[in-house]
Amino acid sequence: MTTSTITKNDTQLQNRARILVKCPDKPGIVAVLSSFLHKHNANIIESNQYSSDPENGTFFIRIEYHCDHLVQKRDDMEKDFSVIAVKHDMEFSFHYRSIRQRAAIYVSKETHCLMELLWEWQNGDLEMDIAVVISNAEAARPIVEALGIPFYYIPANKDIREQVEQQQICLMDEYKVDVLILARYMQILTPNFVSHFENRIINIHHSFLPAFIGADPYTRAFNRGVKLIGATSHYVTNDLDEGPIIEQDVERVDHRSDVPDLKKIGRKIERRVLANAVKWHLENRIIVEGNKTIVFH
Amino acid sequence: MTTSTITKNDTQLQNRARILVKCPDKPGIVAVLSSFLHKHNANIIESNQYSSDPENGTFFIRIEYHCDHLVQKRDDMEKDFSVIAVKHDMEFSFHYRSIRQRAAIYVSKETHCLMELLWEWQNGDLEMDIAVVISNAEAARPIVEALGIPFYYIPANKDIREQVEQQQICLMDEYKVDVLILARYMQILTPNFVSHFENRIINIHHSFLPAFIGADPYTRAFNRGVKLIGATSHYVTNDLDEGPIIEQDVERVDHRSDVPDLKKIGRKIERRVLANAVKWHLENRIIVEGNKTIVFH
Amino acid sequence: MTTSTITKNDTQLQNRARILVKCPDKPGIVAVLSSFLHKHNANIIESNQYSSDPENGTFFIRIEYHCDHLVQKRDDMEKDFSVIAVKHDMEFSFHYRSIRQRAAIYVSKETHCLMELLWEWQNGDLEMDIAVVISNAEAARPIVEALGIPFYYIPANKDIREQVEQQQICLMDEYKVDVLILARYMQILTPNFVSHFENRIINIHHSFLPAFIGADPYTRAFNRGVKLIGATSHYVTNDLDEGPIIEQDVERVDHRSDVPDLKKIGRKIERRVLANAVKWHLENRIIVEGNKTIVFH
Amino acid sequence: MTTSTITKNDTQLQNRARILVKCPDKPGIVAVLSSFLHKHNANIIESNQYSSDPENGTFFIRIEYHCDHLVQKRDDMEKDFSVIAVKHDMEFSFHYRSIRQRAAIYVSKETHCLMELLWEWQNGDLEMDIAVVISNAEAARPIVEALGIPFYYIPANKDIREQVEQQQICLMDEYKVDVLILARYMQILTPNFVSHFENRIINIHHSFLPAFIGADPYTRAFNRGVKLIGATSHYVTNDLDEGPIIEQDVERVDHRSDVPDLKKIGRKIERRVLANAVKWHLENRIIVEGNKTIVFH
């Protein structure tokens, strides 16, 4: 993962990092990792692991650790670890808490998900810098610019999709964006765009997937007479609404709820589901494996 | 609705009844109904109403009332009301709490839903007599017969479906059954069978419909990587898993849950969702309108 | 209830009203009310009732109705109804949807509940005008004034409580305030102040009452090791945290949550619990009876 | 922990165990543990850890591991580990999945919690043998004896408390009981009894503690007008309803719920809360620390 600027001088965060590892499962993996950290005098703060199958499965682990003088030591540690990784056939990544991810938020006319993200972010609950907000509508401009965040109005529709996406890709480069958050951005993305940001585009879909894939889920939920409606946050792939699910939640509705009521209730679900998914992504709690996610809590 | 035997001599229940009405919405309907009840000296205990649209919509109301000497008065009241109903184009039904509905429970090998119903029933939470239990497996026989309830083992598969259903229809007649509860009965019913018991067959489907319609929903939920699994209770129609939904609920799962785990968690959801749906059916809280239900709480 | 300005010309709202009635329960009450409405050609849109005891209890009903030309007819209707009310010993109030309640929001340093109310209000989910915001801190000023809402900074502490409250009472008069919302306002109110606004001050307490009455509930929840934390919205009375409860909700926590975590999780509960309580108050869904509330959904 | 009989020959369970460790936190603890397991060729299946404070706090870990030929190796492993434990100031315990805990269930007149435990146990969800059921009522006898479980009717009241408890302690010895489950057993236990089974008596209290400590919580919940009722499972200490909380849950209620309704709803909460607490205890997921629990999920 590419990260970009150091934004916090807080000593504790300077000395905090996470390592994510994926490798074939076999006895001794945890011993290897914990001995490595101990050798560098790092203390494990939080550790979560999962094995797809204890016999010949794949092993995943996320460790958050504290290490004095981490800034000075981290290059050596990474170099040291790369030898271990080769030996045990590990994929791995290091993530330093002092290096915050840079996010781009995409939004259309409805701003409720954007508002929730801004709220959580101002509240200190989201470990990110908001590099830029992109919208195919002007609705969000005042609130975004009031916070000193660059706002780009880029009209979009299916006829100009490629030019629009080219412009967006340039902006993502210019602003050194790590993660793209689609906060009710109502445009379909092309495979080309998606491939630029694999497992780095987080979407919120306004239904409890796989129910009501595609357009207008609240109307279809109304017509089916469901007793719960939901929302789903997932990574974007080239299969519409089929990407790896990160988080879902539901609320109870009844026969009295018409479509506008469902939308109103749905907005509350969307807000909290997307905010959770983004939070976990930023905290490196999510590993994508095939079309599913491992989310370490 | 046909009901059958008087099973409780409790005076308060003797004097309690419910009326359900459906008619074109217009001003004055509630006045008509409440004046009718007042004229017969009945006191409204609970009243719920719903209009599909205050202007030219359809109006639905459920009223539970108390009336001294109801047993002696009810024929007169029904006769009196039938005149009113014609005048206002009403469909209606009276339901007397002293006349308990007679249920048949259908079950296959897995008995958890049956057990929950038996438990709630013994606990006094379900206003029904259990007339008979039908199964294509022997698993449930001991617990059912221990409670003095007739148990019929009727092997079933798609080759002998019609003969089996003929036998079941006869049993439903013989036992004067009002409502059929499919408590994880893993056989598809023919349109002929379903037509005999319109809006009187309650099924539990082991997914959050319309997600995972059809067979093996837990395996498909596992493969899709959903973060919540659910269950749905609905009336059976000729479209598989497409009948009017009565109740749904969900539980949180995560990447660690394999298919057997999902089934285990699912059983808890199935138990409570089916028990709620049956309870509301017996309390005449459900009105089927098109392919949806109105459930008055 | 005193209301003040007509803020919506929308025809449908002009013709919508609610009546709340409380009286001794006896047969015929609903007939009286529905006949009254029918006589004035009003159509019942929603109706909820509750009786503390069908025999000699107290009866409560909330009816929302539609009536063409309501603005012209409402004085006559009220006059007509007052005769009925005397006859049946009814307490009652009429509430016209075209006359929005005027709210004062009180807030201290933490603005999350205020933010949620502003969000819901901008979203059209709260039937109120925000007349004024009062705070003993400056934190909320920019966001409040950006929305064109008057903001008063009134420093407060227990030594100057009476002068402060006198000033606040004057402001409530000046701004013709109907309802006071304490959105995490961390000052105790005197009996004199409370008596000015009986059943019109809505507070949010940051615990699941009656657990952790008083100060610092999150610290005490942490020390007790509870597995759920909650929030409670209630009307303010002279007994601290003992007023009639309107709404409560909880979230799951575990041993890893320290006090700042609990506060963070708690803020989300507080936001939605207070917003719900305010919404139901504005929709006249709440009747206070003794130290409890009836909330009609 | 004393365990007693080998009840399963299933090979996989024979080779599964858990180790629980508590020690001062410092870098390298996980390395020590994982190297120990690796040395004995054990594979970590699941690992959860918690530190009260990464700097000078207390560290807790639960590791579930698989080890071929565990039955033959386990004495050596325990001996080997005891040296490590002394060096790092560790408290520890080993738990072998092939050695099921033996439970005594205590119950009074209300059998719903007992029924739930029996159901989960028959379903294979609870890793225990039910050694004996003790009751001060006869209600549960038929269902218990039908399952071949010894049932003892021991009338109890406060005048004969000591004799009764003496008899119960003898039975616990005779049946080699590891854990006592109070499944709505409505007798207060003396400090002497409690001291015999420290952190091994699990109770279900019918309120959301610390709200409504003591007798008759549903009546008090009704009188207070709460909008949620709950249940709490906790270890029994000498302070009534003050022991370490294991699990809590709630359900929504409203003004229509009278005390019998609350009890009915409460029974459902009690059933699932107690069943969860027992399950986690049997899976060695719970560590008691002071008056709180760490529950590893």
Side-chain angles (χ1 to χ4, degrees), chain A residues 39-68:
Chain A
K39 176 184 155 195
H40 291 275
N41 216 26
N43 194 12
I44 296 175
I45 302 296
E46 190 180 336
S47 175
N48 297 87
Q49 61 181 75
Y50 169 69
S51 178
S52 63
D53 187 343
E55 301 186 39
N56 301 315
T58 304
F59 178 82
F60 304 87
I61 193 165
R62 173 194 185 272
I63 299 176
E64 178 152 351
Y65 58 92
H66 174 97
C67 186
D68 286 339

Side-chain angles (χ1 to χ4, degrees), chain B residues 214-231:
Chain B
D216 230 350
Y218 291 124
T219 302
R220 290 188 288 146
F222 174 78
N223 290 335
R224 181 63 189 91
V226 293
K227 299 299 185 185
L228 298 168
I229 58 166

Side-chain angles (χ1 to χ4, degrees), chain A residues 222 227 243 247-248 292, chain B residues 222 224 227 243 248 252 292:
Chain A
F222 174 78
K227 300 300 185 185
E247 168 69 341
Q248 307 189 283
K292 299 166 73 168
Chain B
F222 174 78
R224 181 63 189 91
K227 299 299 185 185
Q248 306 188 284
R252 200 157 278 280
K292 298 165 75 168

Side-chain angles (χ1 to χ4, degrees), chain A residues 49-50 208-212 221-230 234 241-250 252 254-257 280 291-297, chain B residues 49-50 208-212 221-230 234 241-250 252 254-257 280 291-297:
Chain A
Q49 61 181 75
Y50 169 69
F208 181 79
L209 290 174
F212 310 123
F222 174 78
N223 290 336
R224 181 65 187 90
V226 294
K227 300 300 185 185
L228 297 168
I229 58 168
H234 63 93
D241 301 335
E242 297 278 10
I245 293 171
I246 303 168
E247 168 69 341
Q248 307 189 283
D249 207 353
V250 295
R252 201 158 276 280
D254 67 27
H255 58 273
R256 296 173 299 181
S257 310
W280 300 335
N291 201 43
K292 299 166 73 168
T293 62
I294 295 155
V295 184
F296 286 130
H297 290 295
Chain B
Q49 62 181 76
Y50 169 68
F208 181 78
L209 290 175
F212 310 124
F222 174 78
N223 290 335
R224 181 63 189 91
V226 293
K227 299 299 185 185
L228 298 168
I229 58 166
H234 62 92
D241 300 336
E242 297 278 11
I245 293 172
I246 303 168
E247 169 67 342
Q248 306 188 284
D249 208 352
V250 296
R252 200 157 278 280
D254 68 26
H255 58 272
R256 297 174 298 182
S257 312
W280 300 335
N291 200 43
K292 298 165 75 168
T293 61
I294 296 156
V295 184
F296 287 128
H297 291 293

Side-chain angles (χ1 to χ4, degrees), chain D residues 44-84:
Chain D
I44 297 175
I45 302 297
E46 191 181 336
S47 174
N48 297 87
Q49 61 181 78
Y50 169 69
S51 177
S52 63
D53 187 344
E55 301 185 40
N56 300 314
T58 303
F59 179 81
F60 304 87
I61 193 164
R62 173 193 185 271
I63 298 176
E64 178 152 351
Y65 57 93
H66 174 95
C67 187
D68 286 340
H69 313 297
L70 182 59
V71 176
Q72 295 86 326
K73 292 165 71 176
R74 74 189 195 209
D75 287 349
D76 277 355
M77 287 178 76
E78 291 202 26
K79 215 161 90 186
D80 189 9
F81 193 77
S82 63
V83 180
I84 294 170

